[in-house]
């Protein structure tokens, strides 16, 4: 049709006018083809809220969600993924996997430069993976069977495994396996390197400054390898600690975007009615996880299985779903989320039953004293968002009914991580853990003996050890038959639900809240933890 129109214009008005009309027509077609009828635009500043304030700006040694939201803006991975978790090119343009899933070959993008001008090569990839194996909470498990990382040339990486890992190709996103510059980190204290807080990457945005307690600023990388991107000039990551203040900031337009249900869930219905704002539930396919109680099994009382069974029996998951999560959650007892193909729906062996909880505590040797109490515990809720603290308040109330006195302790994220994973000075905590792309990566780290790693956050904080669980996770990590994998995961879930090193409560439905002027903020399973190279503003 456009061709016919062009011929007619040329015949009546000449060649010069054709170019003007054709350009206008193409612009019109692109505009109409763009969502909401607006052409993609360049420029502007995105005001992005991350809470609490990140403890670092590179996710090399942490899986804290607040760090995962900022790191990929600067530091990239070998691959990106679509919503079906199928891989797409990023720093790697192509890849091959051997039939036995023991060799992974990545062909790297040519001409990529670090933000300091140095060339990106295979040496950076090999260094990053080896370093992640030492300091990252999940990489020790993810890359456990790596025997060699070869660099036949500056643009090829060959990873060889001792055993199959059919799920490994899903592990190379920027938020899971960040590629950092070897020339910056090599022969330094990786955990104390200044680049952790002033990152140098290959990504679409360059770090500008971090004003602690206020904001983090990033600017457009004009030398980005994906020509024409990013569309934004700047990202300002705002730190707003008060949940109610975040709600107001969305309403008055001072912030544009945030994820992980950034406002009190009691405010969501009101924000839904604001024509300037919208909600998104996609973008949590990697992060999707479970809200849980994690016991310190070194505590004498909690080491007693009867006590843990009693605590489980005293909690009503349906109350947690309705009252704490306002319905944005699914009750479950398994560490694997219901949307996973490996989820076992077998009911919990410890349903809500206060009478049974009291009987179990009596059997455990903790009778009520004259004041009606049995013993006291302290709970440490993860200081990210308000949901762990709200859950802790409910747990305190529920356990008081069976004679357990609970004190809720508050602290910032750094103090929490040190207390739980380094000092181990806690009774039980309330946190959330992601299932990720496969339970081998997201779940095994919480329960295998080798993942009791003092000082490494979000690993086996309970100090649980069961040789049967260790063996099952080893087997399922190598298994290529899906039917057998489901059987292994079913066994794992039933053993963990019986042993209760933790109590899985609900699988939350996370929400992203955004101004309708923000486009392409959720185009992958990483959601707002992606690079934002494709984000643009309609101002």
């Amino acid at each position: 049709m456009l061709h016919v129109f062009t011929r007619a214009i040329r015949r009546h008005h000449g060649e010069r006018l054709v170019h003007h009309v054709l350009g206008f027509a193409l612009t019109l077609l692109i505009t109409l083809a763009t969502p909401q009828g607006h052409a993609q635009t360049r420029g502007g500043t995105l005001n992005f809220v991350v809470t609490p304030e990140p403890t670092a700006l590179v996710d090399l040694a942490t899986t804290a969600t607040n760090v995962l939201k900022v790191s990929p803006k600067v530091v990239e991975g070998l691959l990106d993924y679509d919503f079906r978790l199928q891989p797409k090119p990023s720093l790697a343009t192509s890849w091959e996997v051997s039939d036995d899933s023991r060799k992974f070959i990545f062909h790297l993008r040519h001409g990529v430069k670090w933000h300091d001008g140095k060339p990106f090569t295979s040496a950076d990839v090999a260094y990053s993976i080896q370093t992640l194996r030492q300091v990252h909470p999940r990489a020790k498990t993810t890359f456990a069977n790596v025997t060699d990382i070869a660099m036949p040339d500056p643009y090829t990486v060959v990873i060889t495994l001792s055993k199959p890992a059919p799920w490994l190709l899903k592990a190379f996103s920027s938020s899971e396996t960040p590629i950092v510059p070897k020339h910056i980190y090599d022969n330094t204290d990786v955990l104390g390197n200044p680049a952790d807080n002033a990152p140098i990457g290959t990504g679409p945005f360059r770090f500008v400054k971090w004003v602690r307690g206020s904001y983090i600023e990033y600017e457009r990388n004009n030398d980005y390898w994906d020509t024409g991107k990013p569309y934004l000039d700047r990202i300002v990551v705002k730190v707003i600690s008060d949940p109610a203040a975040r709600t107001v900031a969305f309403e008055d337009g001072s912030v544009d975007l945030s994820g992980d249900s950034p406002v009190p869930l009691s405010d969501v219905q009101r924000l839904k009615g604001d024509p300037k704002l919208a909600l998104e539930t996609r973008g949590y396919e990697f992060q999707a996880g479970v809200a849980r109680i994690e016991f310190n099994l070194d505590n004498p009382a909690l080491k007693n299985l009867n006590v843990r069974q009693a605590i489980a029996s005293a909690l009503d998951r349906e109350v947690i779903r309705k009252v704490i999560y306002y319905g944005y959650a699914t009750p479950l007892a398994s560490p694997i989320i219901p949307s996973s193909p490996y989820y076992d729906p077998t009911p919990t062996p410890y349903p809500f039953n206060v009478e049974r909880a009291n009987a179990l505590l009596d059997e455990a040797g903790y009778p009520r004293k004259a004041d009606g109490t049995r013993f006291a515990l302290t709970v440490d809720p993860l200081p990210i968002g308000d949901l762990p603290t709200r859950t802790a308040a409910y747990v305190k109330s529920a356990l008081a009914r069976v004679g357990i006195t609970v004190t809720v302790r508050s602290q910032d994220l750094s103090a929490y991580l040190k207390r739980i994973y380094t000092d181990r000075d806690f009774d039980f905590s309330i946190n959330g853990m992601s299932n990720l792309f496969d339970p081998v990566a997201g779940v095994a780290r919480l329960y295998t003996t080798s993942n009791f790693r003092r000082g490494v956050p979000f690993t086996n904080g309970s100090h649980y050890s069961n040789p049967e669980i260790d063996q099952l996770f080893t087997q399922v990590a190598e298994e290529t038959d899906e039917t057998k994998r489901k059987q292994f995961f079913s066994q794992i879930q039933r053993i963990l639900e019986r042993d209760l090193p933790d109590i899985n409560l609900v699988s939350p439905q996370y929400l992203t809240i955004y101004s309708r002027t923000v486009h392409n903020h959720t185009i992958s399973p990483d959601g707002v933890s992606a690079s934002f190279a494709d984000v643009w503003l309609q101002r």
Side-chain angles (χ1 to χ4, degrees):
M1 180 177 176
L2 185 60
H3 176 66
V4 173
F5 179 61
T6 302
R7 262 191 324 186
I9 293 294
R10 180 181 290 114
R11 185 169 60 247
H12 292 289
H13 299 283
E15 195 69 32
R16 172 179 267 179
L17 185 57
V18 167
H19 291 298
H20 289 294
V21 173
L22 185 57
F24 173 78
L26 287 172
T27 300
L28 179 62
L29 288 173
I30 291 170
T31 300
L32 292 174
T34 303
Q36 299 186 17
H38 293 279
Q40 209 159 32
T41 59
R42 167 84 176 270
T45 297
L46 177 74
N47 292 299
F48 179 46
V49 173
V50 171
T51 182
E53 185 169 18
T55 52
L57 301 187
V58 178
D59 58 332
L60 189 63
T62 181
T63 57
T65 56
N66 52 347
V67 179
L68 298 187
K69 287 182 178 63
V70 295
S71 179
K73 281 53 178 175
V74 176
V75 179
E76 298 184 289
L78 291 180
L79 302 175
D80 279 331
Y81 298 86
D82 63 23
F83 284 111
R84 296 177 297 114
L85 307 189
Q86 297 303 303
K88 302 191 301 182
S90 184
L91 289 177
T93 57
S94 62
W95 50 91
E96 297 118 46
V97 181
S98 63
D99 291 340
D100 62 0
S101 295
R102 292 176 59 180
K103 183 168 288 188
F104 294 72
I105 303 173
F106 293 95
H107 303 283
L108 306 183
R109 192 176 297 278
H110 290 231
V112 176
K113 293 187 181 298
W114 295 101
H115 292 164
D116 63 1
K118 301 289 187 182
F120 159 73
T121 70
S122 54
D124 297 306
V125 177
Y127 173 80
S128 296
I129 293 175
Q130 294 288 22
T131 302
L132 287 162
R133 294 176 72 188
Q134 299 168 25
V135 301
H136 190 272
R138 297 190 285 249
K140 181 177 181 179
T141 298
T142 303
F143 297 108
N145 296 323
V146 171
T147 57
D148 184 58
I149 304 176
M151 298 165 283
D153 61 63
Y155 300 104
T156 307
V157 176
V158 181
I159 302 173
T160 303
L161 310 180
S162 59
K163 298 173 183 176
W167 43 269
L168 186 61
L169 195 62
K170 298 177 180 177
F172 293 96
S173 69
S174 57
S175 60
E176 186 62 25
T177 304
I179 305 303
V180 298
K182 179 182 178 182
H183 67 278
I184 296 294
Y185 281 91
D186 200 16
N187 298 317
T188 72
D189 172 12
V190 171
L191 300 181
N193 193 299
D196 291 337
N197 295 327
I200 296 170
T202 57
F205 295 94
R206 296 172 181 264
F207 170 77
V208 176
K209 60 184 173 182
W210 182 1
V211 179
R212 303 274 179 159
S214 183
Y215 68 94
I216 308 160
E217 183 179 349
Y218 300 92
E219 66 181 6
R220 185 178 195 273
N221 174 15
N222 291 318
D223 297 320
Y224 189 46
W225 55 261
D226 196 349
T227 305
K229 295 180 183 178
Y231 301 114
L232 297 171
D233 289 331
R234 194 172 307 279
I235 299 173
V236 175
V237 177
K238 295 188 174 182
V239 177
I240 304 175
S241 58
D242 180 62
R246 292 195 291 273
T247 299
V248 172
F250 275 107
E251 291 176 317
D252 68 19
S254 57
V255 301
D256 302 308
L257 175 68
S258 189
D260 285 299
S261 304
V263 303
L265 291 177
S266 56
D267 291 344
V268 168
Q269 198 61 38
R270 185 170 91 244
L271 295 184
K272 278 184 175 181
D274 189 327
K276 305 187 303 296
L277 303 174
L279 273 62
E280 174 64 80
T281 58
R282 295 179 306 163
Y284 298 99
E285 287 77 4
F286 278 148
Q287 187 181 319
V290 178
R292 60 200 280 267
I293 289 174
E294 184 170 51
F295 294 115
N296 180 354
L297 299 184
D298 297 328
N299 177 294
L302 296 174
K303 194 169 187 176
N304 187 318
L305 178 59
N306 276 6
V307 171
R308 302 198 301 277
Q309 291 174 345
I311 292 173
S313 301
L315 302 176
D316 189 340
R317 290 177 174 84
E318 188 59 23
V319 169
I320 295 173
R321 182 188 76 84
K322 289 181 178 179
V323 177
I324 308 300
Y325 285 84
Y326 286 80
Y328 291 99
T330 302
L332 84 170
S334 167
I336 297 179
I337 57 176
S339 60
S340 169
Y342 307 116
Y343 173 65
D344 184 340
T346 302
T348 172
Y350 313 112
F352 175 56
N353 187 326
V354 174
E355 184 177 340
R356 177 62 177 149
N358 278 307
L360 284 164
L361 289 169
D362 289 338
E363 291 174 24
Y366 292 98
R368 288 185 185 267
K369 294 179 254 185
D371 62 358
T373 65
R374 302 176 188 270
F375 58 88
L377 296 171
T378 299
V379 59
D380 293 279
L382 177 71
I384 295 181
D386 66 331
L387 293 171
T389 300
R390 284 166 49 80
T391 304
Y394 164 73
V395 171
K396 175 179 179 177
S397 173
L399 296 190
R401 297 177 62 191
V402 297
I404 301 174
T405 302
V406 175
T407 299
V408 179
R409 179 165 47 197
S410 299
Q411 60 230 295
D412 65 21
L413 183 57
S414 296
Y416 169 90
L417 296 176
K418 183 175 183 295
R419 179 185 296 282
I420 304 299
Y421 297 102
T422 301
D423 300 340
R424 297 194 52 73
D425 177 24
F426 77 106
D427 297 329
F428 68 100
S429 69
I430 294 175
N431 57 41
M433 295 295 178
S434 304
N435 273 200
L436 300 174
F437 47 86
D438 192 280
V440 164
V443 178
R445 65 189 162 118
L446 308 178
Y447 304 105
T448 51
T449 303
S450 64
N451 270 300
F452 173 65
R453 303 164 63 193
R454 289 187 81 137
V456 181
F458 308 117
T459 50
N460 181 354
S462 65
H463 201 180
Y464 173 68
S465 180
N466 182 334
E468 187 177 6
I469 285 291
D470 294 342
Q471 180 60 30
L472 284 168
F473 270 119
T474 298
Q475 290 174 288
V476 77
E478 303 164 13
E479 184 55 64
T480 58
D481 183 280
E482 278 298 296
T483 300
K484 291 181 180 177
R485 291 196 96 219
K486 289 178 182 179
Q487 291 171 351
F488 284 136
F489 278 125
S490 181
Q491 286 180 263
I492 288 168
Q493 289 167 84
R494 295 185 187 196
I495 292 169
L496 292 175
E497 289 172 36
R498 180 198 70 206
D499 286 0
L500 285 178
D502 59 1
I503 301 174
N504 297 295
L505 300 171
V506 297
S507 177
Q509 172 63 73
Y510 300 107
L511 302 173
T512 294
I513 300 176
Y514 63 98
S515 163
R516 292 186 183 275
T517 63
V518 183
H519 298 267
N520 287 352
H521 55 78
T522 301
I523 59 173
S524 77
D526 277 314
V528 295
S529 295
S531 72
F532 284 2
D534 293 277
V535 171
W536 59 279
L537 300 175
Q538 173 200 329
R539 296 299 198 194

